Amino acid sequence: MTITLIFLACIMATVIFWLLRQTFNIQPWVSDEVADEVTGMSLDLKPQAIALTTFMAVATSLFALFASAYSLRMEMPDWRPLNEPMILWINSFFLVLASIAYQWSRAKVASTDIGSKKLVIGLGIAGVFSILFIFGQLSAWQELNSKGLYVSSNPAVAFFYVFTAMHGIHLLGGLYVWARSLAKIYQNQDLRIVRTSVELCTIYWHFMLLVWLLLFGLMIAT
Amino acid sequence: MPIAIALILLVVGSVIFHLVSPWWFTPLASNWGAIDDTIDLTFWVTGFVFVAVNLFMAYAVIKYRTEPGKKAKYDPENHKLEKWLTIFTSIGIVAMLAPGLLVWGRFVDVPENAMQVEVLAQQWHWSYRLPGEDGEFGNVSAKLITDENPFGMDYDDPVGQDDILISSPELHLPLNVPVNLNLRAKDVLHNFTVAEFRVKMDMVPGMVTSLWFTPTKLGRYDLLCEELCGIAHHAMRGAVIVDEVQDFENWVASHPTLNDTQVRMAYDADPGAAASQYAVCAACHGQQGEGMVVLNAPKISGQSEWYLRKQLENYKNGVRGTHKDDVYGQQMAPMSMTLFNDEAMDNVISHIQSFPDNPAPKSITGDIEKGKETYAVCAYCHGQQGEGIKAMNAPRMSGMTDWYLERQLQNFKKGIRGQHPEDYYGKQMGFMARILQDDKKIRDLVAYMNTF
Amino acid sequence: MSYVALVDRDHEQDHHDPDTFLTKYVWSQDHKVIAIQYGGLAILVGVVALVLSVLMRLQLGFPNEFALINPESYYQFVTMHGMIMVVYLLTALFLGGFGNYLIPLMCGSRDMVFPFLNMLSVWVYFLSVIILIASFFVPGGATGAGWTLYPPQSLSGGTPGTDMGIILMLVSLGVFIVAATMGGLNYVTTVLQYRCKGMTLMRLPLSVWGIFTATILALLAFPALLVSAIMMILDHSVGTSFFMPAMISEGQQLSYNDGSPILFQHLFWFFGHPEVYIVALPAFGLVSDVLATHARKNIFGYRMMVWAILAIGGLSFIVWAHHMYVSGMNPYFGFFFATTTLIIAVPTALKVYNWVLTLWQGNIHLRVPMLFAIGFIFTFIHGGLTGLFLGNVTIDLPLSDTYFVVAHFHMVMGVSPVLVVFASIYHWFPLMSGKMFNETLGKWHFWLTFLGAYAVYLPMHYLGFQGVPRRYFSLGTTDFLPESAHTLNASITISAIILALAQLLFFINIFISLRNGKKAKPNCWGATSLEWLTPDTPPKHGNWGHDLPEVHRWAYDYSVPGQSQDFTPQTVPASEVPVGRDHGVDHDT
């Protein structure tokens, strides 16, 4: 539970600190002409960015709770550490590449016109590596399966399957948005829309990479 | 305005209800008087706040209810007032919390001289284990639990040989000796609660939890399970009996150690003696234990060994067959006395086990579909096909005498059977039989059981 | 990054003005329609749960008299009643219902930020309700493991619904979490980014603060339930041992190993305790606005109220194990969790003081919503104070798992939030429907509900003191319970039946008021907050007509000295305040 607590303490502390800063020295019943002119947006961010940040907070909570469950379950006597398949290192490398490709595409979308070949290439590479990652994860499953390590074999294996599955589902969700941004480029849609979508996907991919590395780290460390 | 009056009346009414309520804590029978003191203190603090704030609110509603021309005061905040209210509330909180934590500190600190007792819970029964002379429990494992080894004892562990296993829901404890209960569960969560002792703790399969207290009053106390454990949760009853130390030691001495029971299990029945002892029974129950309706004797062939033994013991000990309306039970009780010792009982039971198991003739009909619906509840203990499950202390009913089943269900329902304080399993059946609202429901049920 | 939100927003709205019946009332993306869909469905399942509670009470008051109720169905009723009331009624109603209706209106925006996602949310919620109700009709029936769904008994023998029932329950909860997350993303983003000009955070009505904070709690706490649901489904269907220990069921060894039932309890209550505040915080917010409006007085200590909401929200994540004092967890945790639990009482008490101080020196109009609000303060004080018993780890020892617990949580998160629900529905009904409700019926409804609920739950505490255990199909005979305890139990049942029947008055009132109610004047209570200031009553699609409102003051300018009206709407600039002799406006007429 400690991991979750630390994480939630951080989120709550940030949120509460931020909200308190908005509220602390204000006496709202006093007429305030400066306040009359505010736009009603608390942050200089697009709503989509806020929704994504919030969603990432939810996902972090989810994974942190899984990690806490993992650490609590480890203490029981039937725990047998798992030898993680080596292919996971390659998969991690794919995901890093996908993340880099996204970062590069984001730089392109900020500087070039829509329909630019470079952007399509960048997105394409990011997508291909992400798909490779997912297939790599599936082959890690197959490897465990062929060794006779099933979900029910022991809790470490079960957690491995659950972690990779949950992470994979989140990444598939990301790939859906990825496919939509490619479609938008082919439809020559408004630059702003494509830019938003690429920017947000980049953040999400970095987030998915971070989550994966933390989960992977947790599993090989124990 | 009526709301203000209602508030005042509710406050006054609640206080009066509190003062005159006959429903209050049971008299304390353990060392945990400090818990009662903490509750009293909390009552004073919270009671004061309850009365004060609500009366203040009622007063405000009366005084400031709307009238033509009235205008509210504009009063955004009052920092000083809020500060004082915070301080005042915090003091109240500390006053309640501090004693609470001190008492909890004593609860988590088990006295070193405490007597160790193990409580083992299962759906829907209690059993106990005492560590024997060496004061240590032998190894147990859930994986070792079988019908023959209900505690999951590791028979190879020398420490466990002198453990005393008590397969009865009744636990005796000595007066004024601190006792630490080691709580285990076989299947699902349970909870050990004796209201008079004040303390309780969940029992979790796969873990040993614990709980300590010192009984301070002689007597018999109801033991309840207070963690939902399935459909017969409410019927999972036991008892703790607080004895003088000498009586307690006698009670312990009357139980065999694990080693003793293993020796006894090796006893072989003597076929010759068995046949002659059974002759008495045969007069009513038939030569092959097939039962005789004219003599009101049910079929006993094919019934499980453990159930026959339990019932014979109950008859012998006056636990069954003593109710004034239990006419046929009263006939059986003196018969059971002819089994004067354990060997005699072993002989008779093993003789009955050797009879062919032919289904009893069926005499009761009814709405089988309705009976099937009712049986869903019975199946939890007696099995889908009425085959009986020893682990649940539920006897077999399939192929047994139907008129006898009907009569026993009536007896359980009316409290003719299963009301003796020591008949814990019978009491449980009583809880269940009472959901059979009318005679038709019973006949439908028995008719369905005839289809097994 | 310059993003001109206001312009964009107006631009977007032009596209999907609904015109067909289907887009207007079924696949609607209008937050007000979605709110009514959410609220209506929540109340509908709530009625199912209410009927279940009456069935339970019948068995408890008059044991074994009714053939419909046997131990199996009883525990199914217990489970479904609890889960529906907590999750599918209260959570959905406060966040999906009131949140959807009030957030955009009170913030001064045209709709939620993502209307399509919002529509998806309500239909996903509908799906979760369907799955939940379906579990009654599968082989083996609904799960009877209690709303806490503790393993092992939720998956092993001796409990009804361990085949299909429990799986449907878990899947339904999973689907509900998806719906709640979709909604939650919308509420958070809308409150943060879609307020109208001049609406600073500190000018928001407390309703928005309460719903906003509760949404954050929901977003962070629901994953705990999802995690435990996923792991439990695997334990059930694939044979993992996350929660299931080596155990025996009905005499047979099961193939599980060393799973930890306590782990489930930690995860469950990590969700379950914030869940209490997910229900309570919106109620705190809504009732504050009702009180201020009908007392014609600013809410006392607005800033303290906001901070208290935030503090309670933050603290609610570190008190979960007070549900587990006697669960067999490490007993030393008791010290920590008892302390945090009692600390949370301080901000909560401050909120109560401030409500009462809002009445003080007010100009109190005892209309129906106000009656419910005052009733709420009373029951909440009662329920809050009994919480101090249970939160204090020592006192929890005798009281845990008794009727005292049942009485406490029904008082604090059953009766109290429901009184706020009624206060809010009566308060905003004229706005939502454009019709006035029937005052007399409303008053009858209040008195029967308020007094009925107290007659049910006050005596129940005392049965708990005596040691009557909760979740018992029937008490039977015990040495320590006098006959009078059974009589008291029967009297509770009679009160409960009256209480349940009294709710018919509410539905009758809504029905006849919708058909024949007097037409409501705009801003009929003389309120200051934006939702009452729309050009149309009820507000039309897009809420604000041509121009978005501009806000110049906080939401509680009631009875400002020197002004001729006893309320000054948020949109009135300082220069346009009607100054003059005080008249004391009465809006009852």
Side-chain angles (χ1 to χ4, degrees):
Chain A
M1 279 339 255
T2 351
I3 305 175
T4 322
L5 268 187
I6 293 169
F7 157 71
L8 274 168
C10 291
I11 291 198
M12 289 314 285
T14 322
V15 171
I16 288 176
F17 177 75
W18 184 80
L19 287 170
L20 282 181
R21 235 189 45 195
Q22 310 284 311
T23 59
F24 202 72
N25 273 325
I26 296 169
Q27 294 187 312
W29 53 91
V30 177
S31 133
D32 177 352
E33 275 160 26
V34 182
D36 286 358
E37 295 306 316
V38 301
T39 60
M41 287 173 65
S42 295
L43 298 156
D44 187 16
L45 285 173
K46 293 167 194 159
Q48 287 88 340
I50 296 196
L52 178 70
T53 315
T54 317
F55 178 74
M56 289 194 304
V58 175
T60 316
S61 172
L62 181 79
F63 286 109
L65 282 157
F66 268 123
S68 307
Y70 182 88
S71 64
L72 277 177
R73 185 64 180 79
M74 259 174 66
E75 291 163 14
M76 306 303 285
D78 65 339
W79 185 270
R80 303 281 172 276
L82 168 71
N83 269 331
E84 284 78 13
M86 292 309 286
I87 193 173
L88 294 182
W89 291 96
I90 305 172
N91 296 348
S92 310
F93 185 62
F94 286 153
L95 200 57
V96 173
L97 287 180
S99 216
I100 291 172
Y102 243 119
Q103 184 68 33
W104 184 76
S105 316
R106 179 179 152 162
K108 286 295 144 203
V109 81
S111 65
T112 58
D113 285 344
I114 280 306
S116 144
K117 286 237 164 62
K118 281 184 180 165
L119 176 60
V120 176
I121 292 171
L123 282 184
I125 294 175
V128 168
F129 278 121
S130 307
I131 293 168
L132 278 177
F133 171 83
I134 287 180
F135 277 101
Q137 300 288 72
L138 287 176
S139 83
W141 282 21
Q142 241 167 10
E143 188 182 329
L144 288 185
N145 239 317
S146 63
K147 282 191 201 158
L149 293 172
Y150 308 114
V151 187
S152 55
S153 300
N154 87 47
V157 185
F159 269 111
F160 174 80
Y161 282 105
V162 171
F163 282 177
T164 46
M166 289 311 293
H167 181 264
I169 289 171
H170 279 81
L171 197 61
L172 284 177
L175 279 170
Y176 169 72
V177 183
W178 167 79
R180 278 187 45 174
S181 24
L182 273 186
K184 279 178 196 162
I185 295 174
Y186 279 111
Q187 292 161 2
N188 279 325
Q189 280 200 11
D190 189 354
L191 173 68
R192 280 196 316 186
I193 297 176
V194 179
R195 184 183 286 159
T196 311
S197 142
V198 173
E199 270 166 3
L200 296 184
C201 276
T202 309
I203 298 171
Y204 188 63
W205 248 258
H206 294 343
F207 170 72
M208 288 317 297
L209 176 65
L210 185 70
V211 167
W212 168 245
L213 292 180
L214 288 174
L215 289 179
F216 187 35
L218 177 68
M219 286 189 287
I220 47 179
T222 50
Chain B
M1 193 63 179
I3 181 75
I5 295 165
L7 289 178
I8 295 168
L9 288 179
L10 284 180
V11 169
V12 175
S14 303
V15 172
I16 292 174
F17 186 88
H18 176 75
L19 293 176
V20 303
S21 162
W23 307 289
W24 193 238
F25 282 98
T26 48
L28 180 71
S30 79
N31 59 318
W32 287 114
I35 293 182
D36 289 6
D37 298 340
T38 323
I39 292 171
D40 285 343
L41 176 72
T42 309
F43 248 114
W44 280 108
V45 177
T46 56
F48 171 74
V49 175
F50 176 75
V51 173
V53 178
N54 280 315
L55 289 185
F56 180 79
M57 177 162 73
Y59 177 63
V61 172
I62 295 171
K63 186 158 173 187
Y64 297 104
R65 67 185 189 280
T66 188
E67 278 162 21
K70 195 170 198 162
K71 193 168 178 180
K73 186 161 180 264
Y74 190 69
D75 185 16
E77 71 179 22
N78 181 338
H79 232 62
K80 209 169 142 195
L81 178 62
E82 284 181 333
K83 195 173 82 189
W84 277 109
L85 285 172
T86 313
I87 293 171
F88 175 74
T89 310
S90 306
I91 292 171
I93 296 290
V94 171
M96 288 183 284
L97 180 63
L101 293 185
L102 287 176
V103 179
W104 185 250
R106 280 161 58 192
F107 180 72
V108 299
D109 181 27
V110 184
E112 282 182 11
N113 62 344
M115 188 178 86
Q116 301 292 329
V117 174
E118 181 185 274
V119 183
L120 179 60
Q122 68 164 93
Q123 278 171 338
W124 290 288
H125 307 292
W126 304 92
S127 43
Y128 309 93
R129 181 162 66 126
L130 302 173
E133 277 174 22
D134 61 0
E136 274 183 62
F137 291 112
N139 281 334
V140 284
S141 159
K143 294 279 184 201
L144 295 174
I145 295 176
T146 58
D147 277 359
E148 289 68 42
N149 184 6
F151 286 79
M153 297 293 295
D154 175 0
Y155 289 129
D156 298 331
D157 182 10
V159 177
Q161 296 303 318
D162 66 343
D163 285 6
I164 296 168
L165 310 182
I166 300 161
S167 296
S168 145
E170 213 172 76
L171 172 67
H172 288 242
L173 288 176
L175 186 67
N176 291 330
V177 177
V179 51
N180 185 42
L181 298 180
N182 300 271
L183 307 169
R184 277 170 65 210
K186 280 187 201 178
D187 37 34
V188 299
L189 302 177
H190 299 279
N191 178 302
F192 183 98
T193 303
V194 174
E196 289 89 342
F197 295 158
R198 297 294 186 266
V199 284
K200 61 163 67 87
M201 188 55 70
D202 275 7
M203 319 177 72
V204 185
M207 279 175 76
V208 180
T209 56
S210 79
L211 157 69
W212 81 271
F213 57 90
T214 309
T216 53
K217 231 161 102 180
L218 292 176
R220 183 181 184 288
Y221 304 101
D222 277 322
L223 163 61
L224 304 183
C225 174
E226 295 203 357
E227 184 65 75
L228 179 55
C229 59
I231 58 140
H233 171 50
H234 61 290
M236 181 169 168
R237 304 286 169 102
V240 175
I241 292 152
V242 179
D243 283 338
E244 294 287 2
V245 175
Q246 189 53 48
D247 295 340
F248 170 73
E249 279 166 6
N250 293 341
W251 175 78
V252 174
S254 71
H255 288 82
T257 63
L258 177 66
N259 200 22
D260 296 342
T261 50
Q262 277 172 314
V263 171
R264 221 182 91 68
M265 270 164 66
Y267 174 79
D268 279 329
D270 171 1
S276 72
Q277 263 145 1
Y278 183 73
V280 183
C281 319
C284 294
H285 288 283
Q287 286 302 331
Q288 301 286 304
E290 68 275 17
M292 289 193 216
V293 63
V294 284
L295 295 171
N296 288 301
K299 175 191 162 198
I300 49 177
S301 64
Q303 189 51 279
S304 348
E305 166 272 337
W306 64 266
Y307 180 71
L308 294 174
R309 183 184 306 278
K310 184 83 214 164
Q311 295 309 311
L312 286 170
E313 280 169 358
N314 280 353
Y315 277 122
K316 260 181 86 170
N317 301 334
V319 174
R320 188 176 170 188
T322 43
H323 192 281
K324 63 177 173 42
D325 294 330
D326 188 4
V327 184
Y328 307 110
Q330 284 171 6
Q331 285 173 10
M332 181 64 204
M335 293 300 166
S336 66
M337 302 298 177
T338 62
L339 302 169
F340 46 87
N341 63 12
D342 288 347
E343 278 75 28
M345 201 175 286
D346 286 344
N347 286 337
V348 157
I349 291 170
S350 69
H351 192 68
I352 296 171
Q353 299 284 298
S354 70
F355 293 145
D357 174 20
N358 300 317
K362 300 175 192 336
S363 61
I364 290 176
T365 53
D367 185 336
I368 290 172
E369 280 308 307
K370 283 230 170 81
K372 188 176 177 185
E373 279 171 30
T374 313
Y375 188 77
V377 174
C378 318
Y380 284 96
C381 290
H382 292 278
Q384 289 298 337
Q385 294 295 314
E387 67 273 22
I389 300 176
K390 181 184 175 189
M392 316 292 279
N393 288 302
R396 166 182 158 176
M397 297 173 311
S398 62
M400 304 309 284
T401 322
D402 58 2
W403 55 262
Y404 176 75
L405 290 176
E406 185 193 13
R407 183 186 297 154
Q408 295 307 309
L409 285 171
Q410 294 280 12
N411 285 354
F412 276 121
K413 185 183 156 188
K414 292 175 188 152
I416 294 170
R417 184 177 168 189
Q419 285 307 302
H420 191 280
E422 284 168 36
D423 189 4
Y424 294 94
Y425 308 130
K427 197 171 178 183
Q428 196 162 53
M429 189 62 216
F431 270 110
M432 290 303 166
R434 282 196 290 275
I435 69 172
L436 303 165
Q437 282 88 12
D438 51 40
D439 294 352
K440 179 169 180 309
K441 206 164 175 182
I442 293 178
R443 293 182 71 83
D444 291 346
L445 178 62
V446 175
Y448 175 67
M449 291 195 282
N450 272 340
T451 64
F452 294 144
Chain C
M1 209 189 303
S2 67
Y3 186 76
V4 192
L6 297 175
V7 176
D8 266 19
R9 239 187 279 168
D10 281 352
H11 177 71
E12 281 165 18
Q13 294 295 336
D14 293 340
H15 289 302
H16 44 69
D17 239 11
D19 39 15
T20 68
F21 176 81
L22 219 57
T23 49
K24 214 166 176 176
Y25 298 110
V26 183
W27 309 113
S28 171
Q29 301 190 18
D30 184 327
H31 71 103
K32 298 181 292 298
V33 179
I34 292 175
I36 289 166
Q37 289 171 334
Y38 242 119
L41 186 53
I43 291 174
L44 200 67
V45 276
V47 170
V48 174
L50 181 72
V51 172
L52 294 181
S53 71
V54 171
L55 292 173
M56 282 148 59
R57 272 317 318 178
L58 281 176
Q59 163 63 23
L60 293 173
F62 308 99
N64 306 314
E65 297 287 331
F66 302 93
L68 181 64
I69 313 160
N70 63 36
E72 204 177 26
S73 57
Y74 176 79
Y75 287 115
Q76 291 171 326
F77 297 165
V78 169
T79 309
M80 295 303 256
H81 165 78
M83 195 60 100
I84 291 177
M85 286 298 194
V86 172
V87 176
Y88 297 85
L89 170 69
L90 288 173
T91 308
L93 185 55
F94 277 123
L95 300 187
F98 289 109
N100 252 317
Y101 199 88
L102 293 176
I103 288 175
L105 280 168
M106 285 184 163
C107 290
S109 70
R110 297 208 181 273
D111 206 315
M112 289 286 178
V113 183
F114 310 111
F116 182 75
L117 194 65
N118 208 17
M119 178 191 80
L120 225 49
S121 169
V122 73
W123 288 105
V124 174
Y125 165 61
F126 182 65
L127 179 67
S128 78
V129 171
I130 299 272
I131 299 174
L132 182 81
I133 300 298
S135 77
F136 273 115
F137 303 101
V138 293
T143 177
W147 89 280
T148 50
L149 305 179
Y150 280 178
Q153 66 262 36
S154 55
L155 302 186
S156 68
T159 302
T162 49
D163 310 321
M164 288 294 288
I166 181 73
I167 291 294
L168 286 179
M169 171 63 89
L170 294 171
V171 170
S172 167
L173 285 171
V175 174
F176 181 87
I177 292 166
V178 172
T181 307
M182 287 175 173
L185 294 179
N186 244 327
Y187 313 150
V188 168
T189 318
T190 307
V191 171
L192 286 179
Q193 297 300 78
Y194 257 34
R195 303 191 306 275
C196 67
K197 189 179 167 205
M199 182 63 96
T200 61
L201 286 177
M202 285 307 261
R203 284 176 172 177
L204 284 170
L206 286 169
S207 294
V208 178
W209 273 107
I211 294 169
F212 175 62
T213 314
T215 306
I216 296 178
L217 299 191
L219 288 170
L220 296 179
F222 272 126
L225 184 60
L226 188 61
V227 167
S228 39
I230 290 172
M231 293 184 3
M232 201 194 270
I233 290 177
L234 291 175
D235 274 4
H236 176 277
S237 308
V238 201
T240 53
S241 305
F242 290 118
F243 303 134
M244 297 294 279
M247 58 177 280
I248 286 78
S249 180
E250 290 168 335
Q252 304 296 315
Q253 286 275 353
L254 302 185
S255 63
Y256 296 108
N257 282 306
D258 295 353
S260 168
I262 299 269
L263 169 60
F264 176 87
Q265 298 183 22
H266 278 299
L267 287 171
F268 183 86
W269 289 114
F270 192 84
F271 143 77
H273 197 77
E275 170 63 35
V276 173
Y277 290 98
I278 292 169
V279 171
L281 292 182
F284 291 172
L286 295 166
V287 82
S288 305
D289 288 344
V290 173
L291 282 169
T293 309
H294 296 276
R296 313 308 300 157
K297 184 161 173 277
N298 62 304
I299 195 83
F300 182 83
Y302 174 83
R303 297 196 294 175
M304 187 60 89
M305 296 298 255
V306 173
W307 297 334
I309 286 179
L310 293 174
I312 293 170
L315 284 170
S316 73
F317 276 98
I318 49 168
V319 297
W320 79 88
H322 67 214
H323 298 269
M324 296 169 61
Y325 288 145
V326 298
S327 71
M329 68 167 182
N330 185 340
Y332 286 93
F333 287 0
F335 294 107
F336 174 77
F337 285 102
T339 310
T340 51
T341 303
L342 265 66
I343 288 175
I344 218 171
V346 177
T348 315
L350 282 172
K351 291 198 77 78
V352 173
Y353 300 147
N354 284 1
W355 288 323
V356 178
L357 289 170
T358 300
L359 297 176
W360 186 249
Q361 296 181 325
N363 175 20
I364 301 169
H365 294 250
L366 291 170
R367 305 178 188 111
V368 176
M370 188 60 157
L371 291 178
F372 275 100
I374 292 172
F376 158 81
I377 299 179
F378 180 83
T379 58
F380 186 73
I381 290 173
H382 198 284
L385 291 173
T386 52
L388 291 169
F389 286 73
L390 295 168
N392 201 345
V393 56
T394 302
I395 308 179
D396 189 56
L397 280 170
L399 294 181
S400 172
D401 293 310
T402 65
Y403 270 26
F404 187 86
V405 178
V406 179
H408 158 71
F409 72 71
H410 276 95
M411 205 72 166
V412 80
M413 78 169 294
V415 176
S416 301
V418 166
L419 289 179
V420 176
V421 165
F422 288 131
S424 308
I425 292 180
Y426 285 114
H427 181 74
W428 279 289
F429 182 80
L431 176 69
M432 292 194 240
S433 67
K435 300 279 178 66
M436 292 306 290
F437 54 84
N438 182 312
E439 186 90 11
T440 318
L441 271 178
K443 283 192 169 149
W444 272 100
H445 177 218
F446 166 74
W447 285 110
L448 287 171
T449 305
F450 178 58
L451 298 178
Y454 203 59
V456 170
Y457 295 110
L458 178 74
M460 210 182 266
H461 289 90
Y462 287 81
L463 288 177
F465 286 133
Q466 199 156 39
V468 175
R470 66 187 285 208
R471 292 176 166 173
Y472 263 30
F473 170 69
S474 65
L475 272 178
T477 48
T478 43
D479 293 342
F480 62 87
L481 290 177
E483 190 52 38
S484 63
H486 297 274
T487 319
L488 190 62
N489 227 344
S491 91
I492 291 175
T493 295
I494 292 167
S495 307
I497 292 170
I498 296 172
L499 177 59
L501 288 177
Q503 305 317 307
L504 283 175
L505 294 178
F506 169 72
F507 292 103
I508 294 170
N509 197 350
I510 294 289
F511 183 72
I512 62 169
S513 302
L514 281 178
R515 278 178 67 106
N516 305 324
K518 208 168 61 176
K519 199 169 167 349
K521 283 180 291 188
N523 197 4
C524 57
W525 310 131
T528 56
S529 46
L530 288 185
E531 80 275 20
W532 293 100
L533 309 176
T534 53
D536 308 284
T537 305
K540 291 218 166 76
H541 187 70
N543 294 347
W544 305 107
H546 191 264
D547 294 317
L548 284 171
E550 287 182 19
V551 164
H552 298 278
R553 57 189 65 247
W554 71 331
Y556 298 100
D557 263 347
Y558 290 103
S559 307
V560 181
Q563 298 182 1
S564 61
Q565 265 182 326
D566 70 348
F567 68 104
T568 319
Q570 281 190 281
T571 47
V572 178
S575 55
E576 289 173 25
V577 173
V579 187
R581 226 166 53 77
D582 297 352
H583 286 302
V585 183
D586 193 341
H587 294 273
D588 265 341
T589 50

